[in-house]
Amino acid sequence: MSDAATPPPAPEPASAPAARRPLPPGYREGIITAVTVIIGFSLSFVRYWAFEAPGDWTVRSVIALIALLIPIAAEIYTLYRALLVEDDDEATYKVTVKWFIGSVCGMLVSVSLAAIVLSGRP
């Protein structure tokens, strides 16, 4: 038996990272354009809703305004993600597209809510 310390076991090699798959040309530009168009619509609608729509502010209209602002925040976050260099990777791009679709669906719901409030129906 020897007094020498045994060396610690060698660490196991880490698994290789997944292969990076860049997007085909034009995909990033397309989503950036789509997001900015939707943001432009959303901000124009909020401007109309907040400043030009007839009627007084009620609790229902404030709720509708908050419901409009949440998808706009998601759209801005989507634009932020789309502008990141990492978004050129296919896996990251897929997440950005999901954020975009979710924000558009949220805007559709909130615009419908705002239309109901503006119509004066209970």
Side-chain angles (χ1 to χ4, degrees):
M1 188 170 205
S2 73
D3 291 338
T6 59
E12 294 181 18
S15 61
R20 183 181 173 282
R21 292 182 51 185
L23 294 174
Y27 273 62
R28 283 189 69 201
E29 294 84 353
I31 195 164
I32 290 169
T33 301
V35 171
T36 55
V37 167
I38 295 297
I39 289 174
F41 162 78
S42 302
L43 294 175
S44 295
F45 187 82
V46 167
R47 186 201 74 209
Y48 165 76
W49 177 258
F51 299 112
E52 299 172 8
D56 296 325
W57 283 95
T58 64
V59 172
R60 291 176 55 194
S61 61
V62 171
I63 292 171
L65 179 62
I66 292 169
L68 288 166
L69 294 177
I70 292 170
I72 290 174
E75 292 164 7
I76 292 170
Y77 178 70
T78 302
L79 181 60
Y80 165 75
R81 286 185 57 92
L83 292 172
L84 291 174
V85 173
E86 294 85 13
D87 201 52
D88 193 37
D89 182 47
E90 188 177 303
T92 307
Y93 177 80
K94 286 180 180 181
V95 174
T96 302
V97 170
K98 288 178 183 178
W99 269 96
F100 178 59
I101 297 300
S103 66
V104 169
C105 291
M107 184 53 70
L108 178 65
V109 169
S110 62
V111 166
S112 300
L113 176 64
I116 292 168
V117 169
L118 186 60
S119 72
R121 296 183 186 193

